[in-house]
Amino acid sequence: SCAGVCAPSPCETCASPVQDLRPRWTVLDSLLCGAIAGAIAKTVIAPLDRTKIIFQVSSNRFSAKEAFRLIYCSYMKDGLLSLWRGNSATMMRVMPYAAIQFCSHDQYKELLGGYYGYQGKALPPFQRFLAGSLAGTTAAMLTYPLDMVRARMAVTAREMYSNIMHVFVRISQEEGVRTLYRGFTPTIMGVIPYAGITFFTYETLKKLHTEKTKRPQPYPLERLAFGACAGLIGQSASYPLDVVRRRMQTAGVTGSSYATILGTMRGIVAQEGVMRGLYKGLSMNWIKGPIAVGISLTTFDVTHSSLLKLHRMGYFAH
């Protein structure tokens, strides 16, 4: 899941400078800054992400000690770069995912604002949640096969899949093209509350902050705290569906027969219990979530302000 690494929309965080530019630069800035922020944040937390996926798709008990032992064993056996295995597939997914989510979130806010009569004003709570959910759903639908490929690469040895294209070709030939969308339903079911709650929480905290402090925008550290809170609440609410998604995505290589959402949930609960099964690895998400959001927000701010400076200096034609 990627709302956790998404920064605020540039139209909100840098309202006055963006309005000086032509609308197409607003969209391009969103795409570029979102992609860069998502890529850097995900690369930094990649070893933790990979470890979380390995535990999610296995029946082994999760603990911080076991997680760090797995990281250490991977490092000793296959070298440092093995901790970033599957990260190229993550980048291919995260960069378009973050970019699409940024831009579509702005568009959905504008559409909903116009439809409900809140043009240019803060949206009411439900519309705020809806804009986030729609943005997350749009991004997930367009980038899902890459998420599937990334999960396969994270849990298999290099001998099985040598690169991204090899994963696509082998899955298509051996398991059918439809397999690239296995786990799609729980993904969308998880994205709706995750993206909705994350964007809703973030924008609500910003709105409350403005009302209390009378400052139009929060400072970077305040924004970082708001983003971390939003990511933690969103992740916790949708986490069981994330576990189900990973089990269904990797069923072809783990020898499991997870075919439906309810069947997968029942199997996990029967074998491992509710907390140790459906919430396996959640504590690791609580560590990497704020780190990812913090890096993402900071990167977004720095990249966006740098772009605006370049615009003002005349490096780009308006």
Side-chain angles (χ1 to χ4, degrees), residues 267-282:
I268 293 169
V269 171
Q271 289 173 30
E272 302 159 55
V274 176
M275 292 308 294
R276 287 177 182 167
L278 293 176
Y279 285 91
K280 182 186 287 182
L282 178 61

Side-chain angles (χ1 to χ4, degrees), residues 187-201:
T187 298
I188 295 300
M189 286 173 65
V191 160
I192 290 169
Y194 173 68
I197 290 167
T198 301
F199 277 112
F200 167 80
T201 306

Side-chain angles (χ1 to χ4, degrees), residues 3-254:
V5 297
C6 285
S9 74
C11 294
E12 293 164 351
T13 54
C14 308
S16 53
V18 171
Q19 285 165 2
D20 296 335
L21 305 173
R22 279 171 58 168
R24 69 188 184 93
W25 280 114
T26 304
V27 173
L28 287 175
D29 283 350
S30 296
L31 284 165
L32 185 60
C33 298
I36 292 169
I40 292 174
K42 274 291 188 182
T43 299
V44 171
I45 62 157
L48 293 176
D49 227 8
R50 180 176 180 267
T51 304
K52 184 199 75 172
I53 292 171
I54 290 170
F55 274 99
Q56 280 182 330
V57 303
S58 74
S59 56
N60 298 333
R61 261 186 76 179
F62 175 85
S63 69
K65 186 181 174 184
E66 287 302 313
F68 287 107
R69 181 182 290 169
L70 177 64
I71 291 171
Y72 179 72
C73 289
S74 296
Y75 166 68
M76 293 303 289
K77 184 184 172 192
D78 301 313
L80 185 66
L81 290 179
S82 69
L83 301 177
W84 276 266
R85 176 155 169 74
N87 196 51
S88 54
T90 303
M91 289 303 97
M92 278 185 66
R93 173 185 170 267
V94 161
M95 292 177 78
Y97 185 98
I100 292 164
Q101 190 166 242
F102 273 122
C103 289
S104 60
H105 185 237
D106 280 344
Q107 299 306 313
Y108 285 129
K109 279 199 301 181
E110 212 171 292
L111 283 169
L112 291 168
Y115 184 78
Y116 288 100
Y118 289 92
Q119 199 74 47
K121 300 176 192 171
L123 290 173
F126 176 71
Q127 283 76 10
R128 233 175 287 159
F129 174 85
L130 189 59
S133 293
L134 288 168
T137 303
T138 303
M141 284 173 70
L142 295 173
T143 61
Y144 186 78
L146 289 164
D147 188 47
M148 170 73 167
V149 167
R150 176 261 185 137
R152 283 290 179 98
M153 288 187 79
V155 300
T156 55
R158 185 171 290 279
E159 295 74 44
M160 186 160 187
Y161 299 122
S162 56
N163 56 46
I164 295 165
M165 280 310 298
H166 189 208
V167 187
F168 274 115
V169 171
R170 274 197 70 171
I171 290 175
S172 302
Q173 287 177 346
E174 296 172 13
E175 302 171 55
V177 176
R178 282 184 65 184
T179 304
L180 291 170
Y181 277 88
R182 183 184 285 160
F184 179 70
T185 307
T187 298
I188 295 300
M189 286 173 65
V191 160
I192 290 169
Y194 173 68
I197 290 167
T198 301
F199 277 112
F200 167 80
T201 306
Y202 183 79
E203 297 206 348
T204 301
L205 289 171
K206 273 183 65 180
K207 186 170 176 284
L208 292 170
H209 172 272
T210 303
E211 289 169 3
K212 292 280 183 189
T213 64
K214 307 300 178 193
R215 279 192 279 118
Q217 295 298 333
Y219 296 130
L221 276 176
E222 292 168 333
R223 190 156 34 227
L224 182 126
F226 297 162
C229 289
L232 287 175
I233 296 167
Q235 282 175 345
S236 301
S238 61
Y239 196 79
L241 286 161
D242 191 42
V243 174
V244 170
R245 164 177 70 126
R246 293 301 184 203
R247 293 289 176 103
M248 291 177 76
Q249 284 177 337
T250 57
V253 292
T254 56

Side-chain angles (χ1 to χ4, degrees), residues 10 14 17-18 21 24-36 299-318:
C14 308
V18 171
L21 305 173
R24 69 188 184 93
W25 280 114
T26 304
V27 173
L28 287 175
D29 283 350
S30 296
L31 284 165
L32 185 60
C33 298
I36 292 169
T299 306
F300 182 88
D301 284 341
V302 171
T303 314
H304 196 262
S305 60
S306 300
L307 274 177
L308 291 175
K309 281 176 189 169
L310 290 171
H311 284 313
R312 292 195 197 103
M313 289 164 68
Y315 280 94
F316 299 112
H318 283 205

